[in-house]
Amino acid sequence: MFLFLVVALAVVVAAVTLAVVGGGENGPLPEAAPDRLTDSLPLDRPVSRADVDGLRIPLAARGYRMADVDDALSRLGAELAERDARIADLEAALAGARAVAAHLSTEKPAARPEGEQR
């Protein structure tokens, strides 16, 4: 009985192997195309919150594809650095405008009371 089960198991394993490798009626299994990042971040405009929320990185055999994750993170990092530089420029311009306004307000002569003439 034990010998019969071993032979039956060997026949089943051989049949499955032949079916997968190419012995089946439809030939070998077709190559599966790897998932690629389809919701890429837009190149023609800055990245918005909706773009980040809609970003879905496809799964690979052992997690996520490193290239897709690296591309998305580098793009987001570049966008954040650009925005930080823009914010710093705007804050510097605002501080300069406030300094000029404060300087101009101290240079104005004091208002004379009504009724007083030169």
Side-chain angles (χ1 to χ4, degrees):
M1 182 70 178
F2 178 74
L3 184 62
F4 175 73
L5 290 176
V6 171
V7 171
L9 180 64
V11 169
V12 169
V13 169
V16 170
T17 303
L18 286 176
V20 170
V21 172
E25 61 185 65
N26 293 334
L29 293 175
E31 285 294 320
D35 287 338
R36 297 287 182 209
L37 184 63
T38 55
D39 298 322
S40 61
L41 299 172
L43 298 174
D44 58 340
R45 61 179 173 79
V47 177
S48 68
R49 172 67 188 246
D51 295 328
V52 175
D53 287 343
L55 183 65
R56 296 292 175 256
I57 299 174
L59 292 175
R62 294 184 298 159
Y64 293 101
R65 294 195 57 213
M66 276 198 297
D68 290 339
V69 174
D70 290 345
D71 290 344
L73 289 177
S74 66
R75 174 66 195 277
L76 290 172
E79 289 279 337
L80 289 174
E82 184 179 321
R83 287 182 186 174
D84 288 345
R86 177 81 173 135
I87 289 170
D89 289 345
L90 291 173
E91 286 176 344
L94 179 62
R98 285 182 177 162
V100 168
H103 181 69
L104 289 177
S105 67
T106 58
E107 284 185 358
K108 284 186 180 180
R112 296 184 184 166
E114 287 185 33
E116 186 179 310
Q117 294 185 352
R118 289 187 172 186

